[in-house]
Amino acid sequence: MQLKRLGIMQRLLRKVPVYLKCLNKNKQKIGVRFISSSIPEDRVIFSGIQPTGVPHIGNYLGAIKYWVSLQQEPGKIFYSIVDLHSITIPRERDSLHCHILDMAACLLACGIDPEHSVLFQQSDIPEHTLLSWAIGCVVPVNRLKILPQWQERMKQSKDGGHIGTFTYPVLQSADILLYKATHIPVGEDQLIHINLTNELAQVMNRRLLKPFFPRVHSISTSTSTRIRNLRDPSVKMSKSAYSEQTRIELTDSDDHIWRKIRRSVTDCTSEIAYDPENRPGVSNLIEIHCGFSNLTPDEVCADAKGLDTGQYKRVVADAVITVLAPLRQRFHRLRNDEGHLKSVLKNGADRAREVAVANWECVRRLLGLCA
């Protein structure tokens, strides 16, 4: 059994992705799918992430890992810590400040390179909210009311919901349009927001009497975009879950990672097989394994032949630890230097501001707001 496990680990180590290097000229392997290299030189990418503290592996495999790989492709890239979005849920001042720096440190530790991407804090650029107001002035209320996000919040709210939550999608669209972004890395559950952004861009273009805002295209992230809750695989892994045992955070120790995976919910069948509908717990572990090793589900199942779920959990834990252990060390080194983190965010804000101010001034002029 030790020889079997050693063989799997040797294969895994050979396939640990080098995130900051293209694998060849024509294709780049992201998770288990390939992305064509025929990419326009003028592509502009925007994506944002809320400062909820240290990300979990669902955030990493579903977004951050892909963000890192995009840095090796043509075009401009804007990555924002969207702190204004985060305050739609009340947060303590000191906690939010800490979480912003945690997120910045995590993104840098994962491989986001300020030389290749513009990394900045959303609230440092007031033009986000200015453009959001301008867009909000042409969006029918009923259009926002039918969005699933608002419908879900209304079900949970006792006071009818807040304006910030209601207009959240408008600010989200403004984030994208402010930089005239052409491509957004999203999962399937976010495509509705891309569609809304394009709809609002068309409305604004008619208002501005020219095609100022380009059409936004989605670029799909890796197949490992929907990592499930370790204790309840019927729902996504989330920071808001009731217990820390439901998720693996990027800074968890090796022991914590192993304990959480060991206690993860599977089923009574010992064979390792990928069947998300009938065996969601085991399939979730396979997805995690794929994301951290660049293997396909078929390859994982072939390697795990003869292992029961208990033995396979150890293999998955080893795959996760192989990637997260050095990442964790980089995070702590970066997090202990707040001056550096603030400098990175300030420099990113300066670069983002150049684009944001120029585009907003054009919008102001086209709207007739300039004196």
Side-chain angles (χ1 to χ4, degrees):
M1 183 56 63
Q2 289 297 322
L3 290 175
K4 174 84 172 177
R5 182 176 155 199
L6 179 61
I8 295 173
M9 284 304 300
Q10 287 174 336
R11 183 172 180 180
L12 184 155
L13 288 170
R14 287 197 301 269
K15 294 201 174 190
V16 169
V18 180
Y19 299 121
L20 301 181
K21 184 177 181 182
C22 289
L23 296 183
N24 56 49
K25 290 183 179 179
N26 299 316
K27 292 180 179 180
Q28 183 176 20
K29 199 169 184 182
I30 310 300
V32 295
R33 69 184 280 278
F34 288 92
I35 297 175
S36 171
S37 63
S38 56
I39 297 167
E41 293 288 337
D42 60 350
R43 183 174 73 169
V44 179
I45 292 173
F46 178 91
S47 197
I49 189 168
Q50 287 199 32
T52 54
V54 175
H56 54 68
I57 61 171
N59 303 134
Y60 174 73
L61 296 178
I64 299 172
K65 177 184 171 185
Y66 189 48
W67 286 13
V68 172
S69 72
L70 288 172
Q71 296 177 124
Q72 301 305 310
E73 299 178 359
K76 297 179 181 178
I77 303 177
F78 296 87
Y79 291 142
S80 180
I81 300 175
V82 288
D83 50 348
L84 293 176
H85 287 293
S86 73
I87 61 174
T88 55
I89 298 174
R91 301 179 188 277
E92 294 290 335
R93 180 186 63 187
D94 292 341
S95 175
L96 179 56
H97 175 72
C98 179
H99 285 173
I100 290 169
L101 294 178
D102 284 346
M103 183 60 71
C106 271
L107 293 175
L108 295 175
C110 288
I112 297 301
D113 184 354
E115 295 297 319
H116 293 87
S117 305
V118 179
L119 177 62
F120 68 101
Q121 189 176 333
Q122 180 192 30
S123 63
D124 281 339
I125 313 298
E127 286 74 20
H128 283 256
T129 52
L130 291 171
L131 182 57
S132 178
W133 175 260
I135 296 172
C137 289
V138 298
V139 181
V141 170
N142 287 339
R143 179 65 184 91
L144 299 180
K145 282 184 177 180
I146 65 174
L147 293 175
Q149 184 181 34
W150 175 250
Q151 298 273 337
E152 188 62 30
R153 289 292 181 91
M154 285 295 290
K155 291 178 183 177
Q156 302 171 358
S157 175
K158 296 180 179 179
D159 57 6
H162 300 133
I163 295 297
T165 304
F166 184 65
T167 59
Y168 185 107
V170 178
L171 178 57
Q172 197 170 41
S173 295
D175 295 335
I176 296 168
L177 298 177
L178 182 61
Y179 301 94
K180 301 180 78 170
T182 59
H183 291 77
I184 312 297
V186 294
E188 291 182 3
D189 57 341
Q190 293 293 313
L191 289 177
I192 188 172
H193 297 297
I194 301 301
N195 294 334
L196 176 65
T197 298
N198 280 322
E199 181 181 329
L200 299 184
Q202 290 178 2
V203 172
M204 283 298 293
N205 285 341
R206 288 195 294 269
R207 177 70 177 82
L208 301 176
L209 301 178
K210 68 177 296 183
F212 182 78
F213 295 113
R215 182 170 182 79
V216 179
H217 304 274
S218 63
I219 44 178
S220 177
T221 57
S222 74
T223 55
S224 299
T225 55
R226 302 198 65 159
I227 301 302
R228 319 304 293 183
N229 184 308
L230 294 176
R231 305 296 292 172
D232 179 8
S234 67
V235 297
K236 288 176 62 175
M237 186 174 287
S238 171
K239 294 281 287 189
S240 62
Y242 61 92
S243 168
E244 291 185 357
Q245 298 302 311
T246 64
R247 61 186 179 272
I248 296 172
E249 298 188 352
L250 298 191
T251 55
D252 279 350
S253 69
D254 294 354
D255 287 342
H256 281 147
I257 292 170
W258 165 230
R259 283 203 297 268
K260 290 178 179 181
I261 290 177
R262 184 181 62 192
R263 296 170 181 171
S264 64
V265 170
T266 52
D267 52 48
C268 298
T269 304
S270 62
E271 181 185 5
I272 306 305
Y274 186 66
D275 184 356
E277 184 175 346
N278 298 308
R279 301 187 66 194
V282 171
S283 297
N284 189 42
L285 292 179
I286 292 173
E287 286 279 3
I288 292 170
H289 191 174
C290 290
F292 280 96
S293 64
N294 269 16
L295 298 171
T296 67
D298 286 344
E299 289 174 327
V300 163
C301 293
D303 283 346
K305 189 174 182 180
L307 299 181
D308 60 30
T309 52
Q311 294 164 334
Y312 178 62
K313 286 180 178 181
R314 181 70 256 185
V315 173
V316 176
D318 288 344
V320 176
I321 290 168
T322 297
V323 175
L324 292 194
L327 190 157
R328 182 174 63 240
Q329 293 175 354
R330 293 193 297 271
F331 167 81
H332 288 302
R333 184 175 67 251
L334 288 161
R335 191 63 182 86
N336 288 331
D337 189 353
E338 288 197 4
H340 173 67
L341 295 176
K342 292 177 180 179
S343 176
V344 168
L345 293 176
K346 180 183 181 302
N347 291 337
D350 290 342
R351 293 166 64 193
R353 189 175 295 109
E354 291 181 11
V355 177
V357 169
N359 287 338
W360 168 245
E361 286 303 313
C362 287
V363 171
R364 282 187 71 210
R365 185 174 64 255
L366 291 169
L367 286 174
L369 294 175
C370 292

